[in-house]
Amino acid sequence: MPRVQPTRPQLEIAVWFAVFLLLFCLSWSFHWHEGLDAFIEKHHDYPLDHALLALNISGFLGLIYSALRIRDLSREIHRRLQAEKNVDWIACHDTLTELPNRRFLESICAQAMADQRAQESYAVFSIDLDGFKKVNDLLGHDHGDAVLKTVAQRLSSLFPREHVFRLGGDEFVVLARRTGNPDLVALGNRIVSAIGKPFTFNGVAVDLGASVGFALYPENGDDLSQVMRHSDCAMYVAKKQGRNLVKPFVPSMQDEMTKRIRVEADLRSAIKKAEIVPYYQPLVDLKTNKIIGFEALARWKTASGEFIPPNEFIPVAEEAGLIVDLTDQLLRRACTDALSWPNELVLSFNLSPIQLSDRLLGLRILKILGDVGLPTHRVELEVTESAIIQDAVTARIVLDDLVNAGVRIALDDFGTGYSSLSQLSNYRFDKIKIDRSFVSSFETNDKQDKVIKAIIALGAGLGVTITAEGIEEESQLQRLQDLGCHIGQGYLLGRPAPLEELTADKAGAKVSQRR
Ligand code: C2E
Ligand code: CA
Ligand code: CA
């Protein structure tokens, strides 16, 4: 941006005054006034005295005019300098919180590295708010803005002598000089508790968390920019492990990040090439021993023939924003496959927790079913408790859209969440799937056995079908049948297999042979 060069009116005045003094001295030394007098004397018939008077007056008026112009000019320059300062401020600050922004941070890092202060030690904290999206979605952007301003104030008062930056969205950075040997984890925890204090706006209380990562200069990088990338990496790991965590950077985190970036790129390409396909695991009616449907389980077979399990790539797809495309592709494929099964068989399909905060999910699923021509009563969607807790309002809207259209909803991994009973009373599920962890140990653990019994009784009371997952042993199957569990699923009854290997009566036959 071109800068206005400030002219200095005082300097100009001084120059003009010097010229005047010089002329005065010259006329004094060389007696110019005597020559002028002689000239006027000689030509007294010319009106030279009048002309001189007029010249004097216009000179004087010129002086006043110049003074006024100089004053205007200096005001204009002042105004422009002020405007330029404002533009500079806006370019380097976040206008909402008034904190310096990423550009400022970069220039400060470069400056600190260039001058003497490169000798100093720093700690860089990267902070990301947990649950901020929910505030924006549920309470609106005004509340979101108010939260960000309050967070900025809380961080600034926690670090009054250090730089606090907002890098955009809900990301903040603190650049702190280190003297002595401060307890940085404790400092990180103070950030978490400062942000964790409830926010109240117009009587609405909002709870937020924060994930904090930090890295040190010079220990964790050759310059502050690199240290910042590392603290970001630590923050990313903290976020992945849950809410309100503080993580110092360790070099292995970078390997994890590099691996993730590679998996993300491979996943993107696998989705493009439709290399991720559904396998199907039978769901067996434990009274009649007949298969009543299949659960679709995603399988990614890489070019090298290696299978990457869904627990590894589904979270990456969620984080990279690829889950929508992946789900649409898998569901379309699974629905098409289900058309080739006998009409009474149900397709059970898993939804990611993150998807239930997408209001359009229900409509997209119904469109796929319509396009393929699979009736809604043949489809069951499996959701987990965490999916419903994350964004209860939107989840309800999405599930209502689907239920009203005739799709059934199963509560998956029941017993692993923390509010199972409240979910059951808040929403009418068609099915509850008891988590594998209960089934694997209930024979040797009397308490687990009682829990399973209670869940089956609860299902009977609520009129909800109960499925037991992860049945691997005959004795487990026997006990579940004795307890009156409705549906079974597990390696004993059939492993997940590709469409070509499905034999509709295989699992049923296994059950009857063992009875
Ligand atoms: P899930 O929904 O609980 O699926 C059951 C998991 O248990 C499957 O693992 C299945 O292969 C495994 N399993 C079934 N029977 C047995 C058994 O007898 N013993 C043992 N040890 N395991 C058994 P998988 O296929 O690796 O899937 C893991 C998770 O990934 C699933 O857990 C589900 O949450 C998720 N997932 C799979 N496919 C999809 C998908 O298409 N979309 C989404 N969003 N998630 C998916
Ligand atoms: Ca499932
Ligand atoms: Ca499950």
Side-chain angles (χ1 to χ4, degrees):
M1 201 185 303
R3 285 277 176 277
V4 175
Q5 286 306 319
T7 53
R8 274 166 277 164
Q10 295 87 341
L11 184 72
E12 283 180 21
I13 291 169
V15 169
W16 282 111
F17 188 69
V19 171
F20 168 79
L21 260 184
L22 181 72
L23 287 173
F24 182 79
C25 293
L26 285 171
S27 69
W28 186 274
S29 334
F30 295 103
H31 307 292
W32 287 354
H33 61 286
E34 288 171 9
L36 189 66
D37 283 350
F39 183 82
I40 293 173
E41 197 64 32
K42 197 170 162 195
H43 303 284
H44 57 83
D45 47 332
Y46 296 172
L48 285 176
D49 47 350
H50 295 289
L52 268 181
L53 182 65
L55 205 65
N56 271 341
I57 291 173
S58 55
F60 182 66
L61 289 177
L63 197 68
I64 293 174
Y65 175 74
S66 308
L68 290 175
R69 286 292 303 123
I70 287 171
R71 194 196 59 182
D72 287 350
L73 201 66
S74 106
R75 279 185 184 164
E76 174 64 15
I77 288 165
H78 181 72
R79 215 172 47 77
R80 284 199 197 184
L81 287 176
Q82 201 57 42
E84 272 176 13
K85 252 193 213 161
N86 285 345
V87 170
D88 280 349
W89 190 91
I90 290 169
C92 294
H93 287 78
D94 161 44
T95 45
L96 176 71
T97 59
E98 300 190 356
L99 288 180
N101 61 14
R102 185 183 294 276
R103 193 169 163 184
F104 199 162
L105 175 60
E106 281 164 3
S107 71
I108 281 204
C109 288
Q111 205 181 320
M113 291 299 96
D115 68 21
Q116 278 293 60
R117 278 182 291 162
Q119 309 302 326
E120 290 193 29
S121 309
Y122 290 89
V124 179
F125 291 89
S126 295
I127 304 152
D128 193 274
L129 305 186
D130 299 328
F132 178 68
K133 187 179 172 300
K134 207 168 76 183
V135 177
N136 255 347
D137 288 354
L138 294 183
L139 301 172
H141 288 263
D142 287 351
H143 276 82
D145 287 354
V147 164
L148 291 173
K149 276 190 201 171
T150 314
V151 168
Q153 283 157 8
R154 289 182 187 177
L155 288 175
S156 303
S157 46
L158 197 58
F159 296 96
R161 276 190 227 109
E162 309 296 348
H163 289 292
V164 180
F165 303 84
R166 180 185 171 213
L167 302 193
D170 57 352
E171 250 183 90
F172 294 83
V173 160
V174 175
L175 176 63
R177 267 183 296 264
R178 274 190 295 149
T179 41
N181 195 11
D183 183 346
L184 296 168
V185 174
L187 204 51
N189 280 322
R190 281 174 63 199
I191 297 178
V192 170
S193 33
I195 294 174
K197 281 187 212 141
F199 299 80
T200 310
F201 305 108
N202 305 331
V204 181
V206 175
D207 272 323
L208 279 185
S211 297
V212 178
F214 67 86
L216 311 178
Y217 175 81
E219 294 88 331
N220 298 139
D222 297 336
D223 59 37
L224 271 175
S225 307
Q226 193 181 32
V227 171
M228 233 186 71
R229 281 197 297 279
H230 288 163
S231 76
D232 221 38
C233 186
M235 183 272 286
Y236 168 79
V237 173
K239 185 133 202 124
K240 230 173 110 182
Q241 291 183 8
R243 271 169 80 112
N244 292 335
L245 288 180
V246 178
K247 292 274 163 199
F249 171 78
V250 285
S252 62
M253 287 177 176
Q254 219 182 358
D255 301 340
E256 202 179 305
M257 194 92 159
T258 315
K259 186 178 160 208
R260 203 201 90 100
I261 290 170
R262 212 190 50 232
V263 172
E264 189 182 316
D266 291 350
L267 184 61
R268 214 174 275 278
S269 134
I271 294 173
K272 227 184 211 159
K273 295 188 207 150
E275 282 173 358
I276 300 171
V277 295
Y279 270 37
Y280 300 99
Q281 186 176 31
L283 299 160
V284 177
D285 182 324
L286 296 185
K287 259 200 193 119
T288 62
N289 301 330
K290 287 224 164 70
I291 291 184
I292 52 127
F294 292 94
E295 177 177 2
L297 294 162
R299 292 289 177 268
W300 176 10
K301 193 176 173 190
T302 61
S304 59
E306 177 200 0
F307 270 105
I308 302 180
N311 284 339
E312 262 183 44
F313 67 82
I314 297 277
V316 179
E318 287 173 351
E319 276 172 38
L322 297 169
I323 192 71
V324 173
D325 287 348
L326 177 61
T327 302
D328 285 9
Q329 194 180 80
L330 279 171
L331 182 63
R332 200 170 279 278
R333 170 88 185 254
C335 289
T336 311
D337 289 349
L339 280 182
S340 66
W341 306 340
N343 277 339
E344 68 280 7
L345 294 191
V346 171
L347 165 70
S348 210
F349 192 86
N350 290 286
L351 290 180
S352 287
I354 201 170
Q355 291 183 281
L356 281 190
S357 49
D358 167 7
R359 277 177 194 240
L360 296 178
L361 175 74
L363 300 179
R364 266 206 317 276
I365 290 176
L366 294 176
K367 177 165 187 313
I368 292 174
L369 300 192
D371 288 351
V372 175
L374 187 69
T376 50
H377 70 266
R378 288 191 59 195
V379 179
E380 184 174 85
L381 296 170
E382 301 194 3
V383 298
T384 54
E385 294 165 65
S386 54
I388 297 163
I389 292 160
Q390 263 176 36
D391 186 347
V393 178
T394 314
R396 213 186 171 93
I397 294 172
V398 171
L399 294 183
D400 281 347
D401 280 349
L402 291 161
V403 169
N404 291 338
V407 173
R408 276 175 285 172
I409 308 293
L411 185 58
D412 203 359
D413 302 344
F414 186 76
T416 54
Y418 53 86
S419 61
S420 316
L421 293 177
S422 80
Q423 288 316 311
L424 283 183
S425 52
N426 283 340
Y427 207 83
R428 164 84 176 82
F429 293 97
D430 300 284
K431 191 193 255 183
I432 293 172
K433 296 187 81 173
I434 305 175
D435 191 65
R436 202 168 71 217
S437 54
F438 286 94
V439 176
S440 62
S441 55
F442 80 115
E443 288 178 296
T444 51
N445 183 333
D446 190 43
K447 278 189 186 149
Q448 301 272 49
D449 187 84
K450 286 197 173 105
V451 170
I452 291 201
K453 234 191 217 159
I455 297 175
I456 292 170
L458 189 71
L462 293 171
V464 177
T465 311
I466 303 291
T467 300
E469 298 183 315
I471 306 175
E472 293 182 354
E473 308 290 338
E474 263 177 74
S475 50
Q476 291 169 343
L477 176 66
Q478 187 64 57
R479 177 76 182 136
L480 287 163
Q481 282 173 324
D482 292 347
L483 288 176
C485 181
H486 308 116
I487 297 168
Q489 180 182 6
Y491 291 167
L492 181 75
L493 306 171
R495 285 183 179 258
L499 180 73
E500 317 76 75
E501 289 175 23
L502 291 192
T503 48
D505 52 10
K506 199 164 137 192
K510 272 187 188 165
V511 179
S512 32
Q513 274 168 25
R514 279 167 167 78
R515 291 233 70 191

